[in-house]
Amino acid sequence: MTVFSAPEGQKVHSVTTLNRLARNILTSEIGLVWLSAEISNFTRASSGHWYFTLKDNKAQVRAAMFRSANRVVRNPPREGDKVLVRASVGIYEPRGDYQLVVESMEPEGEGQLKLAFEQLKYKLQAEGLFDPATKQALPAHVKRIGVITSAQGAALHDVLSVLKRRSPATEVIVYPSMVQGEQAAAQLARNIWLANQRNEVDVLLLTRGGGSLEDLWCFNNESLAREIARSPLPLVSAVGHEVDVTIADFVADLRAPTPSAAAELLSMDQRELQVQIRQLQQQLTRSFHTTVQRSAHQLTVLNQRLKSRHPEVMLQQQSQRIDQLTQKMTNQLTHQLNRAQTTAQRLDSRLARQHPAIRLDKIKTQQAYLYQRMGAAMQQRLETRKQKLGTLAHLLQSVSPLATMARGYSATLKANQAITSITAVKEKDEIISRVSDGEIVSVVTAIKAKPTL
């Protein structure tokens, strides 16, 4: 028998250490990836984790999305849904299966837009277009405002209404432009360039009303962002509602939450000190957000490096293993339960043939018969006793003192005691003679003894 051994100095790995080494390499070398794919074989485990397959027309890969991540997904995916996911590449160590651990999931259309937004944001931020140091301060006194927006939009109406109320002397020059659609970004960029060429205003206001992500998408255009950054004139961005954020907002010198708020910021109020304070607050907020974003990016990088050695990875592996064992145990319990139910049905059938109810019916029938016989016997015995009692009563009547009294005899008593001897009374005693129809009360006047023969 030939015995093989590893070459001298060569480390021998176990399967466990090999899988762990492979997982660490995949996690550290590839890290987070974005993937556009179709959902299939979707399973929701009792633990709350999701397991599914991501596929295209040529390949597929297993994926898991743990409860801590999937609870923020607004609508759980269904079979065949197209999605955009952000995931880390790894291995499920107990089986050595290559899989993705999904951290976020969006429907493909909406997700693609958000991905494009984040990619452009990251690119322009890295180039310094969001740097607060490059921002221009707004003029202390704004006499003329250039508004770049739709001439028929509600945003222009809101801006004009606020300026009329707060600063009627402020002049407004409108640069009409599309604010939605494929051609809108180019028109907006051209109007920014045109306003700078004319140099007829103190500040520019780029604005429009609220809408969906698709409606506001022209303000996330790279060419428009670069034109805003190149503008010598200070530019304020007020796109959508307060919760809407676009790339134009990050590049602009100042971002206002709404068109009306932008008009208030640019209008000359009587209290100029408050305006300056408000501007400083905006700059401080922008600087704070930029710092937070930079710190968040650094935190993401550090967190990714930590994940390859984080206990959470092992916990996820164990959680996935528990889900599989739970499913296996459930299947076995279901099988055993079915067998037990079949056995119980068979025993029920046998028991039905020997059921106590059948014997109970027989006993009840027998009992009713015995009750009937016992009743007849008791009736017969009662009649016999009645006859015997009648005979005894007749006999007793024949020897009764009352019958004797009826023939003329009496019974004499003293103090309710029968007198059987003359010695029981003395003269002047009161005695009673009881006859058949009453009593006779007498007083003893004399006592005579019976003559001796």
Side-chain angles (χ1 to χ4, degrees):
M1 179 177 177
T2 304
V3 178
F4 295 94
S5 61
E8 183 177 356
Q10 183 66 42
K11 184 177 180 179
V12 178
H13 295 280
S14 67
V15 176
T16 299
T17 57
L18 177 63
N19 286 348
R20 183 172 297 123
L21 180 63
R23 176 178 61 80
N24 291 338
I25 291 174
L26 287 173
T27 301
S28 60
E29 294 298 324
I30 299 179
L32 285 175
V33 296
W34 288 86
L35 193 67
S36 175
E38 178 181 331
I39 293 282
S40 68
N41 301 323
F42 181 83
T43 300
R44 188 198 306 265
S46 59
S47 62
H49 305 329
W50 295 351
Y51 302 100
F52 47 92
T53 300
L54 294 171
K55 67 177 185 178
D56 56 22
N57 59 351
K58 293 183 178 180
Q60 64 181 19
V61 61
R62 292 179 182 270
M65 191 172 190
F66 298 102
R67 181 175 60 184
S68 57
N70 67 42
R71 63 185 177 186
V72 301
V73 179
R74 288 176 296 179
N75 298 309
R78 296 177 297 179
E79 193 77 10
D81 280 356
K82 295 292 186 66
V83 295
L84 181 70
V85 301
R86 187 181 73 226
S88 58
V89 183
I91 286 180
Y92 178 52
E93 293 183 25
R95 288 204 309 262
D97 287 346
Y98 160 72
Q99 69 173 13
L100 298 179
V101 177
V102 178
E103 295 185 1
S104 68
M105 178 184 296
E106 297 280 352
E108 187 175 46
E110 182 179 347
Q112 291 287 1
L113 291 180
K114 289 185 177 180
L115 175 60
F117 177 89
E118 292 296 332
Q119 289 175 339
L120 179 58
K121 177 183 172 184
Y122 181 81
K123 176 182 178 181
L124 298 182
Q125 183 177 13
E127 293 180 16
L129 268 68
F130 302 168
D131 191 348
T134 64
K135 307 300 181 184
Q136 301 183 73
L138 300 182
H141 302 283
V142 178
K143 298 180 179 179
R144 185 177 294 174
I145 301 174
V147 181
I148 303 173
T149 189
S150 170
Q152 293 79 32
L156 179 59
H157 176 269
D158 293 342
V159 170
L160 295 177
S161 297
V162 172
L163 292 176
K164 182 179 180 180
R165 171 173 55 83
R166 288 174 54 86
S167 182
T170 302
E171 296 180 28
V172 176
I173 296 179
V174 180
Y175 299 89
S177 177
M178 298 173 61
V179 291
Q180 183 175 335
E182 296 181 358
Q183 305 300 322
Q187 282 194 19
L188 293 169
R190 176 170 177 76
N191 279 330
I192 293 173
W193 175 84
L194 181 62
N196 279 280
Q197 292 298 311
R198 292 182 178 180
N199 195 25
E200 55 191 355
V201 296
D202 300 317
V203 65
L204 293 176
L205 173 58
L206 181 65
T207 185
R208 69 149 284 165
S212 66
L213 180 62
E214 291 80 2
D215 295 337
L216 305 179
W217 191 247
C218 62
F219 293 90
N220 296 317
N221 181 272
E222 181 176 355
S223 297
L224 174 61
R226 296 189 182 281
E227 192 63 42
I228 294 173
R230 285 193 296 265
S231 173
L233 290 172
L235 188 144
V236 177
S237 175
V239 180
H241 300 300
E242 187 170 357
V243 295
D244 299 321
V245 180
T246 66
I247 296 296
D249 295 328
F250 291 111
V251 183
D253 296 301
L254 184 66
R255 185 239 176 186
T258 63
S260 298
E264 293 203 15
L265 288 171
L266 295 175
S267 60
M268 296 178 60
D269 197 1
Q270 299 300 320
R271 295 169 293 182
E272 295 184 1
L273 181 60
Q274 292 184 359
V275 175
Q276 295 176 6
I277 292 175
R278 192 179 301 117
Q279 291 175 352
L280 291 174
Q281 287 176 338
Q282 292 289 333
Q283 292 177 4
L284 178 62
T285 301
R286 185 170 59 248
S287 177
F288 173 77
H289 285 316
T290 301
T291 303
V292 169
Q293 290 170 357
R294 186 181 296 112
S295 299
H297 175 69
Q298 293 175 352
L299 180 61
T300 301
V301 174
L302 294 174
N303 188 45
Q304 188 59 40
R305 292 173 58 187
L306 178 64
K307 275 190 174 181
S308 62
R309 298 182 292 273
H310 201 281
E312 183 181 1
V313 176
M314 298 302 298
L315 290 176
Q316 291 175 349
Q317 296 278 350
Q318 293 299 324
S319 179
Q320 191 170 349
R321 176 63 175 165
I322 290 172
D323 288 336
Q324 292 179 343
L325 293 176
T326 300
Q327 185 62 42
K328 183 177 180 181
M329 181 179 67
T330 302
N331 294 338
Q332 291 178 348
L333 288 175
T334 302
H335 177 67
Q336 293 179 3
L337 181 59
N338 291 335
R339 290 183 57 188
Q341 288 177 342
T342 302
T343 303
Q345 290 173 355
R346 185 169 62 251
L347 293 176
D348 284 344
S349 178
R350 291 177 57 188
L351 182 61
R353 294 192 296 269
Q354 301 176 4
H355 200 278
I358 299 176
R359 296 184 60 190
L360 185 60
D361 289 339
K362 292 180 180 180
I363 292 172
K364 285 182 178 180
T365 302
Q366 186 177 8
Q367 186 183 41
Y369 171 71
L370 292 175
Y371 278 160
Q372 184 180 4
R373 288 188 58 189
M374 183 177 68
M378 290 180 66
Q379 187 66 30
Q380 183 179 1
R381 189 169 183 181
L382 183 59
E383 290 297 330
T384 303
R385 292 295 179 91
K386 281 183 178 181
Q387 293 176 2
K388 186 175 181 180
L389 182 59
T391 302
L392 292 174
H394 180 71
L395 181 60
L396 182 61
Q397 182 67 26
S398 64
V399 297
S400 174
L402 297 177
T404 304
M405 289 179 183
R407 294 195 299 270
Y409 293 92
S410 66
T412 305
L413 299 90
K414 175 186 176 182
N416 289 328
Q417 298 292 325
I419 300 172
T420 58
S421 172
I422 61 175
T423 60
V425 297
K426 59 184 181 292
E427 291 182 2
K428 296 183 180 181
D429 283 346
E430 186 181 273
I431 60 175
I432 298 173
S433 298
R434 187 170 292 172
V435 293
S436 62
D437 59 350
E439 295 178 347
I440 301 171
V441 180
S442 305
V443 177
V444 179
T445 58
I447 299 173
K448 294 180 180 182
K450 185 178 180 181
T452 303
L453 298 177

